[in-house]
């Protein structure tokens, strides 16, 4: 996948390319000052659309709020759909709740 294709994927989802400690990051800004960053499991910009990723929300001061793991950018694209702002955040929060419930079921089944 070319650099342009990777950029297009994230830009379509409302992200802009930023930088943290000299490393590129995809950042999504919200009107109230909150922002989200999408990374791979090592905290880097995802290498491909199929890379497992984390969508992490921060408050306006940069403090961590919460994150949700997703299998890849395709799933993120499906979740986001046409949602923006608070509706987008709520969709991802719902996915986070679903992930937690699945993890708890798996943990209980393993005991």
């Amino acid at each position: 996948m070319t650099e342009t294709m990777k950029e297009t994927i994230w830009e379509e989802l409302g992200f802009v390319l930023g930088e943290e400690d000299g490393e590129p990051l995809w950042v999504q800004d919200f009107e109230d000052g909150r922002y989200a960053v999408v990374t791979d499991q090592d905290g880097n910009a995802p290498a491909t659309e199929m890379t497992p990723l984390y969508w992490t929300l921060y408050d306006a001061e940069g403090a961590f709020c919460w994150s949700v793991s997703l299998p890849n950018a395709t799933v993120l694209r499906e979740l986001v759909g046409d949602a923006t702002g608070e509706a987008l955040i709520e969709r991802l929060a719902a996915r986070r709740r679903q992930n937690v419930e699945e993890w708890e079921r798996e943990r209980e089944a393993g005991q």
Side-chain angles (χ1 to χ4, degrees):
M1 182 177 291
T2 67
E3 226 24 67
T4 303
M5 289 174 69
K6 285 192 279 188
E7 289 175 8
T8 301
I9 290 164
W10 301 113
E11 289 169 349
E12 286 174 4
L13 294 171
F15 290 87
V16 295
L17 188 58
E19 190 174 298
E20 177 74 25
D21 297 327
E23 295 294 323
L25 287 177
W26 289 103
V27 180
Q28 189 172 35
D29 293 314
F30 296 97
E31 289 183 14
D32 63 2
R34 291 180 292 178
Y35 64 95
V37 175
V38 65
T39 63
D40 65 14
Q41 65 185 12
D42 297 319
N44 301 313
T48 71
E49 186 172 356
M50 297 313 294
T51 301
L53 56 90
Y54 293 90
W55 185 94
T56 305
L57 183 66
Y58 297 89
D59 70 16
E61 287 75 43
F64 171 82
C65 295
W66 54 268
S67 67
V68 60
S69 61
L70 300 165
N72 54 54
T74 301
V75 172
L76 179 59
R77 183 181 291 139
E78 291 169 1
L79 282 170
V80 169
D82 61 354
T84 59
E86 198 61 40
L88 183 149
I89 293 170
E90 182 48 44
R91 285 184 186 181
L92 289 157
R95 177 58 184 251
R96 180 177 187 270
R97 288 188 297 273
Q98 179 185 0
N99 287 356
V100 169
E101 290 168 3
E102 288 175 14
W103 177 81
E104 288 173 346
R105 280 193 301 274
E106 290 173 7
R107 185 176 57 107
E108 289 172 5
Q111 289 183 354

